[in-house]
Amino acid sequence: MQTVLITGAAGGIGTRLRQLLKGIYPNIRLSDVKRPADLAPDETFVQADLANMAEVEKAVAGVEGIVHLGGFSVEGAWDTILQSNIIGCYNLFEAARRHRVERVVFASSNHVIGYYPRRRRIGVDVALRPDSRYGVSKAFGEALGALYAFKHGLRVTCIRIGNFGDAPVDRRRLSIWVAPQDLAQLVRIGLDHPDVRHEIFYGVSDNVRGWWDNAAAFRLGYRPQGRSEEHSAAALAADAKLPPDPVGEWYQGGPFCSDEFSDGIERAPL
Ligand code: 15L
């Protein structure tokens, strides 16, 4: 892999991944709607609004691999999600096909399965239960990934990212936290591993409180280094200060599940 495009390069995950992937791929091209504030002289930037196909094609032309982090990364109004994550994601995969890109690593989210209760341990083959319009848009991205993999031979890896950061910040994040180095490891498997055709991974570190079976990632060599339990005292102390949220505490998606919730928690499915 000589030339890799990172979309959403100015965002939180993009900013860290750029540093972690530097030197591993000879040419890293960055794109976003806005120029990253910390753009280094040796970094190449192509401004692109994902909802604009011509701009996306310009960003994609000539790359072999794409790490697609771009889009709206939390719950939002329908039109925002539609432009950034539905139309934007379609444009990205379609531009990848037109320009014969070999691989796409798609930043999916735990919010595609947010409505599974915390007491369930699930793999990547369960029916999706998105917890938000945002989660639905990530499910759409995963579906596009499967379409382009099986119809057009694009090698696609979808990573259902839990919560990315230097440390887990509350009880829920003790289960779903992913350390930056571990996410970088998963991205590299998606970009490099010869056996990748179409894969779905959970973007999660080695968390003893975890809810997800990440066998597919382990099969391809993933060896997470982050252990959320090492941060449990601070995370639980922070959690104790949060207001009660019975719906969010029941489900894996947390506050994304209680937000706009209008059913009764007594009907919560297992
Ligand atoms: C996500 O998908 C979001 O992008 C991130 O901001 C967090 O909210 C994370 O999920 C989470 O579930 O903690």
Side-chain angles (χ1 to χ4, degrees), residues 42-62:
D42 62 338
E43 288 182 313
T44 314
F45 176 69
V46 179
Q47 189 154 8
D49 177 352
L50 289 169
N52 181 322
M53 179 56 119
E55 291 181 14
V56 176
E57 283 206 63
K58 232 184 247 171
V60 161

mmCIF file of all heavy atoms in Angstrom, residues 42-62:
data_model
loop_
_atom_site.group_PDB
_atom_site.id
_atom_site.type_symbol
_atom_site.label_atom_id
_atom_site.label_comp_id
_atom_site.label_asym_id
_atom_site.label_seq_id
_atom_site.Cartn_x
_atom_site.Cartn_y
_atom_site.Cartn_z
ATOM 1 N N ASP A 42 4.904 18.186 5.320
ATOM 2 C CA ASP A 42 5.033 16.964 4.514
ATOM 3 C C ASP A 42 3.698 16.230 4.335
ATOM 4 O O ASP A 42 3.669 15.129 3.814
ATOM 5 C CB ASP A 42 6.071 16.030 5.164
ATOM 6 C CG ASP A 42 5.651 15.573 6.559
ATOM 7 O OD1 ASP A 42 4.814 16.267 7.189
ATOM 8 O OD2 ASP A 42 6.150 14.528 7.009
ATOM 9 N N GLU A 43 2.580 16.841 4.767
ATOM 10 C CA GLU A 43 1.277 16.177 4.604
ATOM 11 C C GLU A 43 0.526 16.788 3.411
ATOM 12 O O GLU A 43 0.550 17.992 3.214
ATOM 13 C CB GLU A 43 0.439 16.327 5.881
ATOM 14 C CG GLU A 43 0.963 15.461 7.021
ATOM 15 C CD GLU A 43 0.110 15.578 8.285
ATOM 16 O OE1 GLU A 43 -0.225 16.713 8.689
ATOM 17 O OE2 GLU A 43 -0.199 14.539 8.871
ATOM 18 N N THR A 44 -0.139 15.910 2.654
ATOM 19 C CA THR A 44 -0.901 16.368 1.492
ATOM 20 C C THR A 44 -2.373 16.457 1.872
ATOM 21 O O THR A 44 -2.926 15.497 2.416
ATOM 22 C CB THR A 44 -0.781 15.336 0.342
ATOM 23 O OG1 THR A 44 0.579 14.984 0.224
ATOM 24 C CG2 THR A 44 -1.317 15.865 -0.952
ATOM 25 N N PHE A 45 -2.986 17.580 1.569
ATOM 26 C CA PHE A 45 -4.394 17.766 1.934
ATOM 27 C C PHE A 45 -5.222 18.087 0.697
ATOM 28 O O PHE A 45 -4.837 18.918 -0.121
ATOM 29 C CB PHE A 45 -4.515 18.920 2.946
ATOM 30 C CG PHE A 45 -5.942 19.242 3.290
ATOM 31 C CD1 PHE A 45 -6.723 18.352 4.026
ATOM 32 C CD2 PHE A 45 -6.525 20.435 2.860
ATOM 33 C CE1 PHE A 45 -8.049 18.637 4.324
ATOM 34 C CE2 PHE A 45 -7.852 20.731 3.168
ATOM 35 C CZ PHE A 45 -8.601 19.833 3.897
ATOM 36 N N VAL A 46 -6.367 17.407 0.569
ATOM 37 C CA VAL A 46 -7.324 17.698 -0.501
ATOM 38 C C VAL A 46 -8.652 18.013 0.164
ATOM 39 O O VAL A 46 -9.235 17.141 0.835
ATOM 40 C CB VAL A 46 -7.493 16.484 -1.451
ATOM 41 C CG1 VAL A 46 -8.510 16.789 -2.536
ATOM 42 C CG2 VAL A 46 -6.161 16.087 -2.063
ATOM 43 N N GLN A 47 -9.120 19.234 0.004
ATOM 44 C CA GLN A 47 -10.390 19.620 0.628
ATOM 45 C C GLN A 47 -11.546 18.933 -0.106
ATOM 46 O O GLN A 47 -11.595 18.966 -1.340
ATOM 47 C CB GLN A 47 -10.537 21.133 0.537
ATOM 48 C CG GLN A 47 -11.698 21.649 1.341
ATOM 49 C CD GLN A 47 -11.448 23.098 1.761
ATOM 50 O OE1 GLN A 47 -10.495 23.730 1.331
ATOM 51 N NE2 GLN A 47 -12.310 23.586 2.615
ATOM 52 N N ALA A 48 -12.447 18.295 0.630
ATOM 53 C CA ALA A 48 -13.574 17.628 -0.023
ATOM 54 C C ALA A 48 -14.777 17.563 0.900
ATOM 55 O O ALA A 48 -14.660 17.149 2.056
ATOM 56 C CB ALA A 48 -13.180 16.210 -0.447
ATOM 57 N N ASP A 49 -15.907 17.995 0.356
ATOM 58 C CA ASP A 49 -17.190 17.817 1.039
ATOM 59 C C ASP A 49 -17.723 16.468 0.558
ATOM 60 O O ASP A 49 -17.913 16.261 -0.647
ATOM 61 C CB ASP A 49 -18.122 18.965 0.625
ATOM 62 C CG ASP A 49 -19.512 18.821 1.221
ATOM 63 O OD1 ASP A 49 -19.805 17.763 1.828
ATOM 64 O OD2 ASP A 49 -20.306 19.762 1.054
ATOM 65 N N LEU A 50 -17.958 15.550 1.487
ATOM 66 C CA LEU A 50 -18.352 14.188 1.096
ATOM 67 C C LEU A 50 -19.648 14.175 0.274
ATOM 68 O O LEU A 50 -19.867 13.266 -0.525
ATOM 69 C CB LEU A 50 -18.530 13.316 2.343
ATOM 70 C CG LEU A 50 -17.248 12.942 3.089
ATOM 71 C CD1 LEU A 50 -17.576 12.325 4.440
ATOM 72 C CD2 LEU A 50 -16.395 11.997 2.245
ATOM 73 N N ALA A 51 -20.499 15.172 0.465
ATOM 74 C CA ALA A 51 -21.764 15.209 -0.273
ATOM 75 C C ALA A 51 -21.570 15.661 -1.724
ATOM 76 O O ALA A 51 -22.522 15.650 -2.507
ATOM 77 C CB ALA A 51 -22.760 16.123 0.441
ATOM 78 N N ASN A 52 -20.350 16.049 -2.070
ATOM 79 C CA ASN A 52 -20.069 16.532 -3.430
ATOM 80 C C ASN A 52 -19.209 15.489 -4.164
ATOM 81 O O ASN A 52 -18.013 15.343 -3.895
ATOM 82 C CB ASN A 52 -19.329 17.876 -3.319
ATOM 83 C CG ASN A 52 -19.018 18.471 -4.671
ATOM 84 O OD1 ASN A 52 -18.677 17.769 -5.622
ATOM 85 N ND2 ASN A 52 -19.135 19.781 -4.753
ATOM 86 N N MET A 53 -19.841 14.770 -5.080
ATOM 87 C CA MET A 53 -19.160 13.645 -5.745
ATOM 88 C C MET A 53 -17.889 14.084 -6.468
ATOM 89 O O MET A 53 -16.864 13.392 -6.405
ATOM 90 C CB MET A 53 -20.131 12.965 -6.718
ATOM 91 C CG MET A 53 -19.538 11.808 -7.462
ATOM 92 S SD MET A 53 -18.849 10.518 -6.373
ATOM 93 C CE MET A 53 -19.839 9.132 -6.843
ATOM 94 N N ALA A 54 -17.922 15.242 -7.136
ATOM 95 C CA ALA A 54 -16.732 15.685 -7.882
ATOM 96 C C ALA A 54 -15.560 15.897 -6.922
ATOM 97 O O ALA A 54 -14.419 15.500 -7.216
ATOM 98 C CB ALA A 54 -17.048 16.963 -8.647
ATOM 99 N N GLU A 55 -15.842 16.472 -5.777
ATOM 100 C CA GLU A 55 -14.765 16.701 -4.799
ATOM 101 C C GLU A 55 -14.256 15.378 -4.220
ATOM 102 O O GLU A 55 -13.058 15.197 -4.008
ATOM 103 C CB GLU A 55 -15.267 17.622 -3.674
ATOM 104 C CG GLU A 55 -15.513 19.049 -4.156
ATOM 105 C CD GLU A 55 -15.982 19.992 -3.048
ATOM 106 O OE1 GLU A 55 -15.888 19.645 -1.851
ATOM 107 O OE2 GLU A 55 -16.461 21.071 -3.403
ATOM 108 N N VAL A 56 -15.185 14.456 -3.974
ATOM 109 C CA VAL A 56 -14.774 13.147 -3.431
ATOM 110 C C VAL A 56 -13.896 12.418 -4.454
ATOM 111 O O VAL A 56 -12.854 11.847 -4.107
ATOM 112 C CB VAL A 56 -16.004 12.299 -3.036
ATOM 113 C CG1 VAL A 56 -15.590 10.913 -2.567
ATOM 114 C CG2 VAL A 56 -16.812 12.992 -1.936
ATOM 115 N N GLU A 57 -14.291 12.476 -5.709
ATOM 116 C CA GLU A 57 -13.487 11.800 -6.748
ATOM 117 C C GLU A 57 -12.077 12.374 -6.810
ATOM 118 O O GLU A 57 -11.101 11.652 -6.986
ATOM 119 C CB GLU A 57 -14.164 11.927 -8.108
ATOM 120 C CG GLU A 57 -15.336 10.969 -8.257
ATOM 121 C CD GLU A 57 -15.609 10.630 -9.710
ATOM 122 O OE1 GLU A 57 -14.727 10.036 -10.360
ATOM 123 O OE2 GLU A 57 -16.706 10.984 -10.184
ATOM 124 N N LYS A 58 -11.970 13.678 -6.660
ATOM 125 C CA LYS A 58 -10.637 14.314 -6.676
ATOM 126 C C LYS A 58 -9.775 13.800 -5.520
ATOM 127 O O LYS A 58 -8.588 13.534 -5.673
ATOM 128 C CB LYS A 58 -10.806 15.827 -6.551
ATOM 129 C CG LYS A 58 -10.079 16.590 -7.638
ATOM 130 C CD LYS A 58 -10.198 18.069 -7.426
ATOM 131 C CE LYS A 58 -11.040 18.674 -8.533
ATOM 132 N NZ LYS A 58 -11.378 20.065 -8.316
ATOM 133 N N ALA A 59 -10.411 13.639 -4.364
ATOM 134 C CA ALA A 59 -9.658 13.166 -3.189
ATOM 135 C C ALA A 59 -9.215 11.714 -3.357
ATOM 136 O O ALA A 59 -8.148 11.308 -2.896
ATOM 137 C CB ALA A 59 -10.508 13.326 -1.931
ATOM 138 N N VAL A 60 -10.065 10.930 -4.033
ATOM 139 C CA VAL A 60 -9.861 9.480 -4.115
ATOM 140 C C VAL A 60 -8.921 9.076 -5.263
ATOM 141 O O VAL A 60 -8.228 8.062 -5.180
ATOM 142 C CB VAL A 60 -11.258 8.814 -4.265
ATOM 143 C CG1 VAL A 60 -11.161 7.420 -4.819
ATOM 144 C CG2 VAL A 60 -12.005 8.839 -2.929
ATOM 145 N N ALA A 61 -8.890 9.885 -6.340
ATOM 146 C CA ALA A 61 -8.131 9.505 -7.546
ATOM 147 C C ALA A 61 -6.675 9.211 -7.213
ATOM 148 O O ALA A 61 -5.992 10.027 -6.580
ATOM 149 C CB ALA A 61 -8.219 10.629 -8.583
ATOM 150 N N GLY A 62 -6.230 8.025 -7.588
ATOM 151 C CA GLY A 62 -4.801 7.688 -7.444
ATOM 152 C C GLY A 62 -4.420 7.025 -6.136
ATOM 153 O O GLY A 62 -3.257 6.701 -5.942
#
